[in-house]
Amino acid sequence: MSPVLPLSGLVAIAGSRRGSPWPVAPVVALVLASGGAVRVGDQRGVDWAVRQACPSALVVRASQFPGPPKAQLAQRTRAVVLGHPALGLPPASCLLVFPPEGGAPALGPGSSLALRLALEAGLPVWVAGEPRPSG
């Protein structure tokens, strides 16, 4: 992980559908104040909080992808982090992850996938708190 986050670039944000105990809005405001843009998914929880804090966020919708719902969500997560050339989406410059509320000990499958993809791609990553990725 890099100690420097390029918040002035295209910042991907992922997190729990149950929300996160770490405040999302101030982090989104920091990205916007740095001149960055935000890309996020279309689910409830953290995705929703990001969209509320940044109505101009680029939202990647699972319904844009073929297949059963689980495959659509995985493809959506991949596009949020790595981009999707056919949709005109460039890769993100970094990933910000907000883990779940309620003391859950691990990231869910979508956040874990986002984290894994970002690390494999060599993207800088910031995770609020101290989650233990599953898988």
Side-chain angles (χ1 to χ4, degrees):
M1 289 189 226
S2 171
V4 178
L5 288 170
L7 297 181
S8 62
L10 178 57
V11 177
I13 301 179
S16 174
R17 288 188 207 171
R18 295 181 306 218
S20 180
W22 291 276
V24 172
V27 177
V28 170
L30 181 60
V31 171
L32 298 176
S34 298
V38 174
R39 185 161 60 207
V40 70
D42 61 342
Q43 297 299 303
R44 62 187 185 277
V46 169
D47 288 358
W48 180 86
V50 170
R51 294 190 314 268
Q52 293 303 302
C54 180
S56 65
L58 175 58
V59 179
V60 181
R61 301 191 183 288
S63 62
Q64 293 176 269
F65 303 97
K70 188 173 181 178
Q72 288 179 316
L73 289 171
Q75 291 178 72
R76 189 261 348 249
T77 298
R78 179 176 294 279
V80 167
V81 177
L82 301 179
H84 193 286
L87 296 177
L89 301 176
S93 59
C94 67
L95 172 67
L96 310 181
V97 181
F98 289 86
E101 64 183 347
L107 295 175
S111 297
S112 292
L113 174 61
L115 180 59
R116 188 179 81 243
L117 292 168
L119 292 174
E120 288 173 356
L123 295 178
V125 174
W126 176 79
V127 180
E130 299 181 25
R132 292 183 301 273
S134 63

